[in-house]
Amino acid sequence: MRKPSKSSSPSKPPPTPLDVAARMLARTPRTEADLEGRLVRLGYRPSTAAATVARCRELGWVGDAAYAAERARSLRTRGAGSLKIAADLLARGLDEALVEAPVEASRDGESEAEWARRALANGRAASPPARAWRWLVSHGFPEDVVRDVVGDVD
């Protein structure tokens, strides 16, 4: 028997940029800038990548405001303070104008001090004040909040 030649077998068309973007977004949410940058790094022209991101936005697959809100909420529940959340969102390429509202909303109506107390209680309650101070500051809680929660440490 003869093997069919390669030319006679149906070949799959290459994936469209929208297909590639959909696969990326199915794995993990991304900012618009991240998605566009990844498409460009894969070899798509910048104009094609920008058009693909615009189409993803139209389809509701990507949106920086929704991404920022979800990321801020996720970081907050893991014990992050406002400073850390804002820095994370800015580092992901989000515009400063999109950062403030999600950080504020992530507090869910509670004060930053209450979130700091909750974060401290989840595993750090028995820490000496100096260690608690360092831990809260390293997790992005402002110093004035840390002072209210832990007190002054000499």
Side-chain angles (χ1 to χ4, degrees):
M1 268 204 204
R2 290 178 65 186
K3 289 184 178 179
S5 68
K6 289 184 180 181
S7 62
S8 67
S9 65
S11 63
K12 279 183 147 180
T16 66
L18 192 60
D19 293 334
V20 173
R23 275 190 233 122
M24 282 187 218
L25 294 169
R27 280 183 248 143
T28 187
R30 301 187 183 283
T31 64
E32 294 173 22
D34 181 39
L35 180 60
E36 188 171 337
R38 286 175 184 270
L39 289 170
V40 169
R41 283 191 299 280
L42 285 173
Y44 293 102
R45 291 187 316 238
S47 60
T48 301
T52 301
V53 171
R55 181 64 180 140
C56 288
R57 192 180 319 109
E58 289 171 5
L59 294 169
W61 295 355
V62 71
D64 283 350
Y67 176 87
E70 182 55 36
R71 180 74 182 158
R73 214 176 359 263
S74 172
L75 289 171
R76 180 69 73 182
T77 59
R78 289 189 271 161
S82 293
L83 298 175
K84 186 172 188 168
I85 295 168
D88 180 89
L89 295 176
L90 290 170
R92 292 173 184 275
L94 294 171
D95 191 75
E96 280 189 53
L98 283 176
V99 171
E100 188 177 338
V103 171
E104 179 68 29
S106 73
R107 291 193 349 217
D108 205 24
E110 296 183 33
S111 71
E112 188 79 1
E114 185 56 39
W115 280 100
R117 283 184 197 91
R118 183 177 296 138
L120 206 52
N122 290 336
R124 298 280 181 197
S127 294
R131 181 176 279 171
W133 179 281
R134 283 190 305 273
W135 190 87
L136 285 171
V137 169
S138 73
H139 281 76
F141 289 95
E143 286 188 23
D144 60 328
V145 171
V146 175
R147 188 175 295 107
D148 289 346
V149 172
V150 178
D152 283 324
V153 178
D154 294 326

